[in-house]
Amino acid sequence: LADVPENCWVEGGCVGPTIGWFYGGLVLMITFVSLPVNNFLIYCHGRRSLHIGRRARTQEQNAHLRRLATQCFLYVATFFITFTPQMAIRILGSSFNYNQSREHEIYWLLVLNAIFFPLQGFWNMFVFSRPKWLRLREAGIPTGKALRAACLEPDVGNYIEQSIRVASSHAAASSKHMLNSKMSSQGLASIDEIPLETDETKSLTAQDTADFSSENS
């Protein structure tokens, strides 16, 4: 677009920068303005959906609003971190004649753009996986496993249920082992050696009790 019409950089009258601003710069500027405004409106809608005043809200509702505000802020912040260097380079190049011969003057900006612009997908994964990670942490899942599940597990609810079942079975096995060790140290039979009460043993016990009562009467 820098050479529209052809050889305009010699004869003058280039319209390339204007076209670039219309199709690229204008859209990006609208995005820079609308993104924080839209996320602020989302937060306001979340507050209004509670239909109660600040003092009447419960602690859980306040925590939900804080998570919503943090989520909106992170989404906007990651967008600005990713695209601000790119936007600044485009503005300097198109409006202030920062071409290749003057790149050394904005080298630091080029370095920031090379670092943050390719990380756009990583920031999106981080922001959109955060609610799942918080849900897993609230369920007692360790930090490492929660991070892995938030990024890779399609059904977090099912993962939490399975983790709770596994943890409960492990806790029961550990308690049983500790009880068996204590009983063994006292010379008592372990839990596994104690016969279980079945329907047959219940009927025999009831019959013995009845016979004993009739003999005494």
Side-chain angles (χ1 to χ4, degrees):
L1 291 178
D3 195 18
V4 177
E6 189 176 359
N7 295 327
C8 69
W9 59 276
V10 176
E11 301 173 0
C14 292
V15 296
T18 304
I19 297 174
W21 266 108
F22 181 77
Y23 286 101
L26 181 61
V27 173
L28 194 56
M29 289 296 293
I30 293 175
T31 305
F32 266 72
V33 175
S34 63
L35 188 65
V37 172
N38 290 338
N39 279 269
F40 177 74
L41 293 176
I42 291 173
Y43 173 73
C44 292
H45 175 73
R47 291 188 61 179
R48 287 196 304 269
S49 64
L50 296 177
H51 297 292
I52 50 180
R54 179 176 181 181
R55 295 183 178 180
R57 288 197 296 264
T58 63
Q59 185 176 0
E60 182 179 356
Q61 290 171 334
N62 285 326
H64 176 73
L65 284 177
R66 285 194 297 270
R67 288 195 295 267
L68 176 60
T70 303
Q71 188 72 12
C72 293
F73 170 78
L74 288 175
Y75 185 76
V76 174
T78 53
F79 177 84
F80 276 92
I81 290 173
T82 301
F83 286 98
T84 297
Q86 179 76 215
M87 184 67 174
I89 291 172
R90 297 304 178 192
I91 292 174
L92 292 174
S94 61
S95 301
F96 298 94
N97 197 27
Y98 276 83
N99 49 30
Q100 293 184 355
S101 63
R102 301 182 62 187
E103 282 185 350
H104 63 280
E105 299 179 22
I106 55 172
Y107 178 76
W108 60 274
L109 196 57
L110 296 172
V111 171
L112 291 178
N113 181 62
I115 293 174
F116 291 117
F117 192 72
L119 293 176
Q120 179 183 1
F122 172 78
W123 299 133
N124 288 335
M125 182 204 68
F126 168 74
V127 171
F128 289 108
S129 298
R130 179 178 171 273
K132 294 181 180 180
W133 183 80
L134 291 176
R135 183 181 174 188
L136 290 163
R137 291 293 295 139
E138 291 174 355
I141 309 298
T143 302
K145 291 184 178 180
L147 182 61
R148 175 186 174 278
C151 297
L152 302 178
E153 290 292 335
D155 190 350
V156 174
N158 185 40
Y159 180 83
I160 292 175
E161 292 178 0
Q162 292 180 356
S163 300
I164 292 175
R165 286 197 297 267
V166 171
S168 299
S169 62
H170 287 172
S174 177
S175 300
K176 183 178 179 182
H177 176 72
M178 292 177 61
L179 184 58
N180 283 335
S181 300
K182 185 175 181 180
M183 295 176 67
S184 177
S185 64
Q186 296 178 357
L188 302 175
S190 65
I191 296 177
D192 295 331
E193 296 174 353
I194 299 175
L196 298 176
E197 187 178 24
T198 61
D199 293 338
E200 184 178 357
T201 57
K202 288 181 180 179
S203 61
L204 291 175
T205 303
Q207 183 65 35
D208 292 340
T209 302
D211 294 341
F212 179 77
S213 299
S214 61
E215 291 176 0
N216 290 336
S217 60

